[in-house]
């Protein structure tokens, strides 16, 4: 039986009052905060770490996925707007790779995490976004059943509250929306979520000898397992060079609990166990990599600060993006941008990709505004991997490109809602679409 402790009543100091408060500093939160602030709104971005980037930095992803799509056989960048501003800043710091081919069907784009952190800081300053680092969200205070009045935070200065007229949940886990009472799903409805990974980087690689090592490594893994020398947590190795060829990123772990299911990223105990398991797997994988030509002198240069979480809560919105929407390249009247990434299902022991018809199709689906509006709440939006999607669709639209799209859309929508005195579901979509396109976003309404 769980024991409960009654805490004494307390007076919580209000740290500030804002037009818009954004929870989470990943790509969705970055784009949301910039869009709201550039519209003239007093905006606060709350981030648990001391830097921005979300899974892209805290989980060491070091790779932008979903910025591009295979449009009738031609690779095109389909995510623009705030994303372009960030990419330009990373590139100016020398931290952005040219896009690299994946599976002969699309591309991804690697970056340096240090450059990403610096560029994101500069972007916030340029847009006059106030950022509160090292602040862990702990709950909400409601104003009635449908409106959030305040977000409660735990900081090094103690517990505090921030008040706002509009809140954007870009936490990845849907924390704010869930605390406020929005309905949500966890995984596929049967407790199965996309498996997390712990990313790491190795240095000391000889790029000439390594060559296209990503093509040889799967065969070497199979050989090592057949000889009984290694047992890998999953297939589908992703081992690719960073901008400097002597440093490579490695995505080859898979974190399961004692029952063999994906570790639960919103369960404190399982999340702690995942951190230890990830590092244990990395030690073994790094040993194997030193058998790969060009990697003989390689060493672990960095282990991500946290486990890379792919899926936890998915908040139920006014529309749920589906697997068929992704694979059939669906269009929506209320489009706010596009997703060009395929389904990427991290299943037990493997990674499964499911693609739209390429090159026959346009290679992307539009993302409807309604998927960012949670059921039962009037002044809250969700953006990023916690938005309203099915388990399968989330495996595609959880990646960076779609997160930028949703973030910029909800930041602009929050401004329009405040300007017109309307709730989130009543925002005039054509006006929102014009605002997004005026600020460089691509909505997928041509090509």
């Amino acid at each position: 039986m769980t024991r409960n402790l009654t805490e004494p009543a307390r007076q919580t100091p209000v740290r500030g009052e804002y037009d818009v408060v954004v929870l989470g500093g990943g790509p969705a939160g970055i784009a949301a905060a910039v869009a709201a602030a550039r519209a003239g709104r007093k905006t606060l971005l709350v981030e648990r770490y001391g830097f921005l980037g979300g899974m892209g930095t805290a989980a060491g992803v070091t790779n932008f996925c979903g910025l591009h799509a295979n449009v009738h056989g031609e690779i095109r960048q389909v995510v623009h707007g705030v994303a372009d501003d960030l990419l330009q800043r990373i590139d100016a710091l020398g931290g952005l790779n040219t896009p690299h081919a994946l599976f002969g069907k699309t591309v991804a784009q690697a970056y340096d995490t240090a450059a990403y952190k610096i560029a994101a800081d500069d972007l916030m300053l340029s847009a006059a976004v106030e950022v509160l680092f090292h602040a862990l969200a702990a709950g909400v205070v409601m104003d009635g059943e449908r409106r959030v009045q305040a977000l409660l935070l735990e900081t090094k200065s103690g517990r505090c509250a921030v008040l706002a007229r509009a809140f954007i949940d870009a936490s990845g886990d849907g924390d704010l929306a869930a605390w406020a009472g929005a309905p949500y799903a966890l995984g596929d409805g049967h407790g199965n979520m996309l498996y997390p990974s712990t990313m790491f980087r190795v240095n000391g690689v000889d790029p000439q000898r390594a060559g296209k090592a990503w093509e040889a490594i799967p065969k070497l893994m199979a050989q090592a397992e057949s000889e009984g020398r290694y047992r890998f947590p999953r297939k589908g190795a992703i081992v690719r060079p960073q901008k400097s060829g002597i440093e490579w990123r490695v995505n080859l772990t898979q974190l399961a609990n004692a029952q063999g299911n994906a570790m639960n990223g919103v369960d404190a105990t399982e999340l702690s166990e995942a951190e230890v398991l990830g590092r244990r797997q990395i030690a073994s994988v790094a040993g194997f990599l030193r058998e790969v030509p060009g990697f003989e002198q390689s060493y672990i240069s960095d282990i991500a600060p946290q486990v890379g979480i792919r899926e936890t809560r998915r908040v139920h919105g006014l529309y749920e993006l589906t697997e068929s929407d992704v694979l059939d390249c669906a269009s929506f009247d209320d489009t706010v941008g596009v997703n060009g990434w395929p389904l990427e299902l991290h299943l037990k022991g493997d990674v499964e990709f499911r693609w739209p018809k390429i090159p026959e199709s346009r290679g992307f689906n539009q993302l409807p505004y309604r998927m960012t509006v949670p059921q039962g709440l009037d002044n809250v939006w969700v953006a990023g991997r916690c938005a309203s999607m099915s388990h399968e669709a989330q495996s595609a639209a959880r990646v960076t490109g779609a997160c930028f799209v949703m973030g910029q859309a909800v930041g602009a929508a929050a401004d329009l809602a405040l300007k017109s005195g309307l709730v989130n579901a009543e925002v005039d979509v054509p006006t929102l679409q014009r605002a997004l396109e005026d600020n460089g976003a691509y909505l997928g309404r041509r090509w």
Side-chain angles (χ1 to χ4, degrees), residues 27-33 35-36 168 170 372 382-384 402-412:
I30 288 171
I168 293 170
T372 70
V382 288
C403 290
F404 278 130
V405 167
M406 288 183 268
Q408 183 167 352
V410 298

Side-chain angles (χ1 to χ4, degrees), residues 166-311:
F167 292 86
I168 293 170
D169 187 341
S171 66
D173 295 319
D175 290 333
L176 191 158
W179 294 330
Y184 63 86
L186 194 64
D188 64 357
H190 303 285
N192 301 310
M193 289 174 276
L194 300 179
Y195 282 80
S197 298
T198 304
M199 294 283 295
F200 70 105
R201 299 199 305 274
V202 295
N203 211 317
V205 179
D206 182 333
Q208 282 71 42
R209 295 194 65 247
K212 295 182 178 180
W214 56 86
E215 296 178 352
I217 284 174
K219 297 176 183 177
L220 295 173
M221 288 171 60
Q223 179 182 341
E225 283 200 319
S226 67
E227 295 170 355
R229 296 185 297 106
Y230 287 96
R231 185 174 181 82
F232 298 101
R234 72 167 220 226
K235 300 176 184 177
I238 301 175
V239 185
R240 287 276 187 164
Q242 294 297 102
K243 192 169 181 66
S244 168
I246 64 172
E247 182 179 71
W248 290 52
R249 65 187 178 281
V250 185
N251 180 351
L252 189 47
T253 64
Q254 188 175 91
L255 308 176
N257 59 22
Q259 291 73 45
N261 299 320
M263 289 284 197
N264 185 347
V266 291
D267 181 298
T269 299
E270 288 203 2
L271 192 57
S272 295
E273 293 170 350
E275 297 287 1
V276 176
L277 178 59
R279 289 188 284 269
R280 288 179 60 196
Q281 291 182 1
I282 284 170
S284 175
V285 169
F288 159 75
L289 284 176
R290 284 190 285 272
E291 299 180 6
V292 176
F295 286 76
E296 294 89 348
Q297 302 302 313
S298 67
Y299 60 93
I300 298 171
S301 60
D302 181 66
I303 295 177
Q306 78 144 80
V307 165
I309 302 297
R310 293 186 172 90
E311 179 187 20

Side-chain angles (χ1 to χ4, degrees), residues 10-57:
R10 62 191 299 175
Q11 293 292 308
T12 301
V14 174
R15 186 184 180 278
E17 299 185 35
Y18 300 87
D19 293 321
V20 180
V21 166
V22 181
L23 176 60
I30 288 171
V34 170
R38 284 180 174 170
R41 297 298 167 185
K42 183 181 180 184
T43 303
L44 174 70
L45 176 58
V46 177
E47 169 55 44
R48 64 178 298 182
Y49 291 111
F51 51 87
L52 301 176
M55 294 294 101
T57 50

